Amino acid sequence: MTTTPQISPGPRAAVTALAQPAPPPLRLLALEIRALGELARLALMRRALRQAPRGDGHPVLVLPGLMSSDWASLPMRRFLSGLGYAAYGWGFGINRGPRGTLEADLAARLAAIADRHGRKVSLVGTSLGGIYARQLAKAFPHLTRSVVTLGSPFAGSPRATRAWRIYEWASGLAVDTCDQHMGGRLALPPPVPTTAIYSRTDGICAWQCCVEAKGPLSESVEVASSHIGLPHNPLVFQVLADRLAQPEGRFRPYRPAATDGLIRRALAKGRQATAEAAARPAGAVLLPARSEARSGTR
């Protein structure tokens, strides 16, 4: 039976109950191989994704995750360009953390795009890129239209991720100093419409750290996905298109449109197989995952 996507109730209550969540278990880390299947399904769902809401042409800046680059966001940026948005990559190569002049460079990039179009910019970021997006929106709300994060661990312990040691190695910064950067405390929501997309089967970041406090301009939307697969998960694309299509200055919580149905039916077939695979020991044979929302190129 297919479950209708809905806003995940009380995500902040879950975070409070688990104030210090641990990194995801090894079995979920092993299941990150699902990202390959999610990329393949993106091609299969291309026709269904054409039903996504059209954009109004405003610019969208897409920020990659740790040790990733604009190559990872290319499918997303092509999708957004096809909907009529002016989609931009970040343009700084591999994301090795906020070292050197990166924060000033990001601020200049945001300002240049806003100036070029004469409009506010929507910010979309995966994992660490989503943290950049939130912090940019806090520092420059007058340039930011909305924020969407994908599996970004901005709440809870900065060590509740399988990647914190990689972050320290790549950036040369202590993970515990994460609140001492542009925009201030990571957990505080930006003063613009903000949607946090997360997955309880994330194998890299504890999902409890990736949910947003519910507020008049903020929400969390849950999907079933790997962490690595979030930037090319078809249902993430559908949620993203819906969020970016909101009129500027107006915010409504995410509600699946009727056009989501085809994607849900196509992705729901393997739901039981995914649940069984996640329950197996890490050494067991892994089955490809199927995604289902449960929420919420240049």
Side-chain angles (χ1 to χ4, degrees):
M1 180 178 70
T2 301
T3 303
T4 301
Q6 59 183 359
I7 294 295
S8 179
R12 184 55 55 183
V15 175
T16 302
L18 296 172
Q20 297 296 330
L26 289 176
R27 68 176 184 276
L28 289 182
L29 180 61
L31 277 171
E32 285 296 305
I33 196 173
R34 292 175 293 163
L36 296 175
E38 289 159 354
L39 182 60
R41 283 192 296 276
L42 177 61
L44 294 175
M45 294 293 98
R46 184 172 300 175
R47 179 175 297 180
L49 286 169
R50 291 174 185 167
Q51 303 174 45
R54 300 287 302 180
D56 63 359
H58 79 265
V60 180
L61 176 58
V62 183
L63 305 171
L66 178 65
M67 300 307 295
S68 186
S69 70
D70 284 334
W71 281 104
S73 69
L74 186 59
M76 179 183 293
R77 286 183 286 123
R78 285 178 172 171
F79 169 68
L80 294 176
S81 294
L83 293 179
Y85 297 100
Y88 291 86
W90 82 325
F92 299 117
I94 296 175
N95 183 356
R96 293 184 173 88
R99 63 185 196 175
T101 62
L102 180 63
E103 293 183 356
D105 293 340
L106 283 172
R109 177 74 164 152
L110 173 61
I113 294 173
D115 183 65
R116 180 181 303 171
H117 292 269
R119 306 180 67 175
K120 292 183 178 181
V121 183
S122 285
L123 304 175
V124 179
T126 300
S127 197
L128 180 59
I131 292 177
Y132 295 164
R134 288 168 56 87
Q135 301 307 97
L136 277 170
K138 295 173 195 176
F140 306 100
H142 60 292
L143 300 177
T144 307
R145 173 164 168 160
S146 65
V147 172
V148 180
T149 63
L150 313 179
S152 298
F154 50 79
S157 171
R159 297 173 187 267
T161 167
R162 293 284 175 184
W164 71 267
R165 289 183 178 87
I166 298 176
Y167 171 87
E168 292 193 335
W169 168 79
S171 68
L173 302 171
V175 71
D176 295 313
T177 64
C178 58
D179 284 337
Q180 301 174 18
H181 292 281
M182 173 182 62
R185 289 186 56 199
L186 300 189
L188 295 178
V192 300
T194 302
T195 299
I197 300 176
Y198 70 101
S199 170
R200 290 177 189 255
T201 57
D202 189 317
I204 304 295
C205 299
W207 67 267
Q208 299 94 335
C209 297
C210 304
V211 295
E212 183 61 88
K214 186 176 181 180
L217 291 177
S218 58
E219 64 178 344
S220 296
V221 179
E222 182 183 353
V223 299
S225 174
S226 65
H227 182 86
I228 297 173
L230 283 167
H232 54 251
N233 183 300
L235 197 46
V236 169
F237 279 26
Q238 183 70 22
V239 176
L240 177 60
D242 178 274
R243 299 292 77 199
L244 293 179
Q246 295 182 101
E248 185 173 355
R250 293 166 55 185
F251 176 79
R252 57 171 176 78
Y254 175 70
R255 292 289 183 272
T259 53
D260 290 354
L262 179 59
I263 296 177
R264 288 204 310 271
R265 290 193 298 272
L267 299 180
K269 183 177 178 182
R271 183 184 179 198
Q272 185 60 39
T274 302
E276 293 172 356
R280 289 193 183 99
V285 177
L286 304 179
L287 298 179
R290 295 289 185 179
S291 302
E292 175 190 12
R294 301 178 58 189
S295 100
T297 47
R298 299 187 182 213

